[in-house]
Amino acid sequence: MVSRRQVVMGLLGFFLARAQGLRVEEVVGGLEVPWALAFLPGGGFLVSERPGQIRLYRQGKLLPYARLEVYARGESGLLGLALHPRFPKEPYVYAYRTVEEGGLRNQVVRLRHQGNRGVLDRVVLDGIPARFHGLHSGGRLAFGPDGMLYVTTGEVYERELAQDLSSLGGKVLRITPEGKPAPGNPFLNRPGARPEIYSYGHRNPQGLAWHPRTGELFASEHGPSGEQGFGYDEVNLIVPGGNYGWPRVVGRGDDPRYRDPLHFWPEGFPPGNLAFWRGGLYVAGLRGQALLRLVLDGDKGHWRVARVETALSGFGRLREVQVGPDEALYVTTSNRDGRGQVRPNDDKVLRLR
């Protein structure tokens, strides 16, 4: 039965969306902790669910696409998705998952797309740290304008891994579609360093987005949740070889050894993904339960956040945000992840126009 509070919260979300000039439509509901979307040429999309399922949504129908073996506990399981940049000529779908067999770890795998289903093809990158508590696995996948695959990894609550260049934990990685270290990576020739590393000093990065004009990479990241205070969730401008400070710095340190965040929330706004849309940088909020629009001022390499606006709220926890091929903004709720209040027909994919 739908409670009065749930009805009120739904109406609140509707009116807040209208106040920002947006129309919100529910595309599909009844999902189980959707984590990432991947839009298919010709219509439809894939959606990963953390317990291990990938679903295909096409022409109003939700179909099973693939089932992967995963270790689904805490924040781990089946997480990011990305299509090969030359899809469907190169018919591959990439996924980030936590596995237990052969030793607990995170890995990037690829599936071969076969019409209405995906078949596991091979492991692309293995050995990303994971722990049995399932926390801080990172998990975002995205192909950049350079055709390389970018991967966010968490430090699994072992803080020093973020500063350890021999570990893949607490990093943004950059690899080829075949899983090799990408040409031009900053640590290719440093002894003892993993050549896949693009940036480091991250706690639990959750989102990736490229500026549509300058091609710069932006990332969202969770700040501390008790081990060094609370809050200080971040949006960062990522540069090759940049050290983003965790655990040496929380928030803005003004220390030339570390990169300060472009923006942070001292009171906390744990983010999901982020996306550029219609002149703003949109950040999905989990515990913050809102979609924020960051208005940027400046130019390449010299950005600042001029103001922050609430674009959408009233739908609970929000994780994925991505621009679709129809130029609408797609957002997923994450109320069934054990940390939210489940609303009718959760979890959902929403379309904002």
Side-chain angles (χ1 to χ4, degrees):
M1 175 178 264
V2 179
S3 70
R4 181 180 178 184
R5 184 178 187 277
Q6 289 171 325
V7 171
V8 170
M9 292 299 289
L11 289 172
L12 176 62
F14 174 77
F15 287 118
L16 281 172
R18 288 192 61 186
Q20 294 293 329
L22 302 175
R23 184 173 75 249
V24 183
E25 306 165 357
E26 182 178 320
V27 179
V28 62
L31 299 171
E32 190 171 1
V33 197
W35 215 93
L37 299 174
F39 292 93
L40 297 170
F45 56 78
L46 301 176
V47 55
S48 61
E49 294 176 303
R50 202 163 65 188
Q53 176 123 306
I54 302 176
R55 308 269 203 117
L56 168 63
Y57 179 82
R58 179 179 285 161
Q59 296 179 341
K61 296 181 179 180
L62 189 64
L63 305 170
Y65 179 80
R67 166 69 71 175
L68 298 180
E69 292 296 323
V70 301
Y71 176 84
R73 181 177 296 178
E75 299 162 352
S76 297
L78 179 58
L79 307 178
L81 283 182
L83 300 185
H84 194 289
R86 293 187 296 277
F87 188 94
K89 184 177 180 181
E90 297 283 351
Y92 298 116
V93 178
Y94 295 75
Y96 187 105
R97 69 173 180 175
T98 314
V99 293
E100 187 174 9
E101 185 178 357
L104 191 70
R105 73 248 187 235
N106 291 299
Q107 59 183 203
V108 179
V109 299
R110 77 179 189 188
L111 296 83
R112 178 177 288 272
H113 178 70
Q114 296 182 346
N116 288 339
R117 69 188 187 112
V119 178
L120 185 62
D121 179 60
R122 71 178 186 86
V123 175
V124 172
L125 180 64
D126 211 341
I128 302 168
R131 295 295 181 266
F132 285 101
H133 52 58
L135 302 177
H136 292 195
S137 279
R140 186 66 56 184
L141 299 181
F143 277 96
D146 56 2
M148 298 296 111
L149 180 60
Y150 292 73
V151 183
T152 73
T153 69
E155 37 67 283
V156 296
Y157 261 109
E158 295 182 16
R159 296 180 297 169
E160 292 302 322
L161 286 186
Q163 293 293 324
D164 183 357
L165 291 177
S166 69
S167 171
L168 295 178
K171 312 296 191 297
V172 174
L173 311 177
R174 178 174 174 264
I175 59 176
T176 70
E178 299 300 315
K180 302 297 184 183
N185 276 1
F187 302 108
L188 279 175
N189 300 311
R190 180 178 293 192
R194 291 297 300 256
E196 301 91 346
I197 295 173
Y198 191 69
S199 64
Y200 67 110
H202 299 288
R203 183 173 179 268
N204 190 27
Q206 292 287 291
L208 297 169
W210 283 264
H211 194 286
R213 178 172 56 82
T214 69
E216 294 167 287
L217 175 59
F218 292 71
S220 56
E221 180 171 338
H222 289 180
S225 54
E227 68 272 45
Q228 282 186 219
F230 290 87
Y232 294 94
D233 304 290
E234 300 177 349
V235 171
N236 287 299
L237 175 62
I238 302 298
V239 299
N243 183 346
Y244 289 80
W246 181 257
R248 309 282 189 268
V249 177
V250 176
R252 185 176 300 277
D254 296 317
D255 185 327
R257 295 173 296 176
Y258 308 112
R259 303 281 304 186
D260 282 334
L262 173 69
H263 184 75
F264 65 93
W265 292 267
E267 72 286 357
F269 184 79
N273 201 13
L274 70 173
F276 284 95
W277 188 56
R278 297 189 176 182
L281 178 58
Y282 287 76
V283 183
L286 291 162
R287 193 178 66 193
Q289 300 193 18
L291 179 69
L292 300 185
R293 180 176 186 261
L294 276 57
V295 179
L296 303 184
D297 189 20
D299 209 334
K300 187 172 183 178
H302 300 283
W303 298 105
R304 71 177 186 90
V305 175
R307 65 182 186 275
V308 179
E309 304 167 346
T310 298
L312 180 71
S313 65
F315 291 91
R317 294 166 60 83
L318 305 178
R319 184 178 300 279
E320 169 73 295
V321 56
Q322 196 175 140
V323 180
D326 56 357
E327 297 303 317
L329 195 66
Y330 288 76
V331 177
T332 67
T333 69
S334 191
N335 294 318
R336 296 180 64 188
D337 63 5
R339 296 177 175 175
Q341 177 184 348
V342 179
R343 290 155 166 79
N345 208 31
D346 269 339
D347 274 319
K348 305 172 185 178
V349 177
L350 306 173
R351 180 192 291 119
L352 280 61
R353 296 181 180 275

